[in-house]
Amino acid sequence: MNIDLRWQLLLAAICLALLVSVLGYQAQNVGLCTTRVAASGGQIVEGVVGRPQYLNPLLSYQNPVDAELGDLIFDGLVRYGSDGQPQPDLASSWQVSDDGQTFTFELREGARWHDGRPVTAADVAFTYGLLKDESFPAQESLRELWKSVVISPTTSNQISFVLPQPYGAFIDATTVGILPEHLLGDVAPEDIAGHTYNRAPVGTGPFLVTPGNDWLDAGYLRLAPNPLQWRQGVQVDFLDVRFFEDLPALVAAISGGEIQAVSSVPVEGIGVIGTLDDMRLFSAPAPRYSQVLFNMTDNGSDALSDVAIRQALAMGLDREALIDRAIEGQGLPLEGPYLPQSWAYASGNIQPIAYQPEEAKARLEAGGWTAPEGQNTRQKDGLDLVLRLLLVDEPRFRALAAAAADMWVEIGVGAEIVAATPEEFKVALAEGTFDLAIVDVDPGYDPDLYDFWSQEAIVRGQNYGGWNNRRASEALENARRLTGQEERLPYYEAFQSYFDIDLPALTLYQHVYTYGLSAEVYESDIGRIDSPRDRYDTFGQWFLLFREVASACSEASE
């Protein structure tokens, strides 16, 4: 039997026409609408001023960009939460022996490197063992700590650290990111800093470095969300961190729609970036502060050995005006050596120093520093009261120094501003060739400030001003020999009282961290912004793109 193909095609066409008619009739009666819903894809580009040097948590201490990226790529055993308390990271739990000398950590079950290999206690032992090695370029304070610690992996998922004596701040040392032994174990410690691993590292953190991304040449680092972190999936494919030489280049990229986020908006860029279309700014207190350090050693001005003169200099500064004038209001008033977020902060032990220029003049007069008729600068025994003010040669520090110098002139004190490169600044601090220095302080989450203010730190530490108070030093030493917060707190309260009486430094303000994000990024629930990891904690729900979906129209839309 022969079938005529032409009749079949004609029949199919008639059926198709009838189907379209029926559907068209239904659509007219039901009504179809389109709805925009989130679509996956695209990348968020975050701009940052500066470039990385080492994508390695053991080498990131010298470069803020390295530290920010390391927070996304690596995990430590422990990390600090927004409440300032330690919480599990690669470790699921830990215990401290009754004598406070042995810390035992259990590793999180199922923890894996970005290449799929399991994380073991051997990785932890390898990492902290590097910090003990003299040939590895570790941060000196960490080397001093770890060289006396006995590291003992007891099982593949358990490791113990035995200290020669109790040390309450030891948990802080375990926040350093862990490195993979299977990739670096055969590399000589002295060669790790120059190893290619530092350009394409493998970590365990929430973001992983994508293969083939040569960020040195490309000018950006491409990070992909770690699927083990976001098991429910993500909407955005990549986070690209793009590096800029300076603020104008960053601003130009924002204006050109090239980036959607700004990491750590510089103080001098707040006014410009905040006015750009679609750029939203989020601000929060940062865990850092700025101080004026008084040099009380023989290398400093004799005037600064008198606490009344140090108090006069403090009273001669209108710190709220200083914050407004020099840093565009991007600072929070703060007294003393601890941040309000610290569990050791005792506001009642630090008396606020108000702006009192007349009282400042009276104290200078009582100290023998008088103002000769017709002169602005005070003198004593024929010497002018002119102090060397040391600072890093950057816009923020210059603005602070200029504003402070103007205020001190009003009480008869001159300031010779000495701007230095970062390396020159470190040398001048260590050698004590300054009278006053504007310093940024990152006190850390644990309140142990022994390396900043103890008597020992005058010789082997960062007590650059030479504050020599035996009782304050003993309070810090006693506190670090205990492990419980309740046991340590009374010593830190006593330390703050001694600090308040002697005033070895004047805290100017607590820093404010500002993060910029384009309105083109949707469902971006921003949490704690000064920590990159916490900032991107909700990254799984962020999206950039939409797609249209047909649906039946509701009565309200007809």
Side-chain angles (χ1 to χ4, degrees), residues 25 39 47 58 158 173 196 234 257 368 371 418 453 470 473:
Y25 175 78
L58 272 59
Q158 186 184 81
T196 55
V234 296
V418 181
W453 294 117
R470 181 178 61 82
S473 185

Side-chain angles (χ1 to χ4, degrees), residues 301-430:
S301 170
D302 290 341
L304 297 175
S305 62
D306 184 351
V307 65
I309 304 305
R310 300 196 295 272
Q311 291 169 341
L313 289 170
M315 293 174 178
L317 283 184
D318 184 345
R319 283 177 284 171
E320 291 192 4
L322 195 73
I323 292 170
D324 290 337
R325 286 173 51 184
I327 58 172
E328 299 191 35
Q330 299 302 300
L332 301 172
L334 180 65
E335 306 285 345
Y338 290 118
L339 297 169
Q341 293 81 4
S342 171
W343 58 263
Y345 179 69
S347 58
N349 294 55
I350 296 290
Q351 299 302 314
I353 301 177
Y355 176 51
Q356 304 175 70
E358 295 307 315
E359 178 62 24
K361 294 176 185 178
R363 297 197 183 203
L364 291 168
E365 292 278 352
W369 294 96
T370 60
E373 188 174 349
Q375 294 189 25
N376 293 327
T377 305
R378 294 177 180 275
Q379 292 182 344
K380 181 179 180 180
D381 300 330
L383 296 176
D384 289 342
L385 185 52
V386 178
L387 305 174
R388 296 165 295 172
L389 178 55
L390 177 69
L391 57 114
V392 175
D393 191 7
E394 293 179 0
R396 175 170 61 91
F397 292 114
R398 278 193 168 277
L400 284 169
D406 288 345
M407 294 177 187
W408 281 326
V409 165
E410 296 299 318
I411 61 172
V413 179
E416 176 191 344
I417 296 177
V418 181
T421 66
E423 286 305 316
E424 292 170 341
F425 181 79
K426 292 177 184 177
V427 171
L429 283 179

Side-chain angles (χ1 to χ4, degrees), residues 57-58 60 70-71 74-81 85-90 94 105 127-128 131 142 145-146 161 169-178 444-446 533:
L58 272 59
S60 64
D71 191 43
F74 297 95
D75 293 317
L77 287 177
V78 173
R79 64 182 289 103
Y80 285 98
Q85 297 294 329
Q87 62 185 29
D89 203 1
L90 276 179
W94 62 91
F105 292 81
T127 300
Y128 295 136
L131 297 176
L142 283 176
L145 168 63
W146 282 102
F161 305 106
F170 180 73
I171 286 293
D172 194 65
T174 65
T175 62
V176 176
I178 304 301
Y445 288 97
D446 190 276
R533 176 172 302 202

Side-chain angles (χ1 to χ4, degrees), residues 68 140 148 241 261 425 476 521:
E68 288 247 333
E140 193 58 37
S148 61
V241 183
F425 181 79
L476 290 173
V521 181

Side-chain angles (χ1 to χ4, degrees), residues 418-491:
V418 181
T421 66
E423 286 305 316
E424 292 170 341
F425 181 79
K426 292 177 184 177
V427 171
L429 283 179
E431 295 179 349
T433 54
F434 67 96
D435 298 318
L436 309 167
I438 300 179
V439 296
D440 282 349
V441 179
D442 183 352
Y445 288 97
D446 190 276
D448 178 32
L449 296 181
Y450 186 86
D451 290 336
F452 287 92
W453 294 117
S454 70
Q455 290 175 311
E456 183 183 5
I458 297 174
V459 180
R460 291 182 295 275
Q462 300 178 61
N463 189 351
Y464 300 121
W467 182 34
N468 191 359
N469 185 307
R470 181 178 61 82
R471 290 184 175 180
S473 185
E474 288 177 346
L476 290 173
E477 186 171 357
N478 290 332
R480 67 175 4 205
R481 290 178 175 173
L482 302 169
T483 54
Q485 291 184 5
E486 292 184 1
E487 299 173 293
R488 300 171 70 192
L489 183 57
Y491 291 105

Side-chain angles (χ1 to χ4, degrees), residues 503-537:
L503 194 65
L506 174 67
T507 303
L508 297 176
Y509 63 92
Q510 181 180 0
H511 291 199
V512 170
Y513 189 100
T514 301
Y515 173 70
L517 187 65
S518 170
E520 297 175 358
V521 181
Y522 299 92
E523 295 298 328
S524 49
D525 183 14
I526 303 294
R528 178 185 166 199
I529 62 172
D530 65 286
S531 163
R533 176 172 302 202
D534 291 326
R535 190 165 65 230
Y536 289 112
D537 186 55

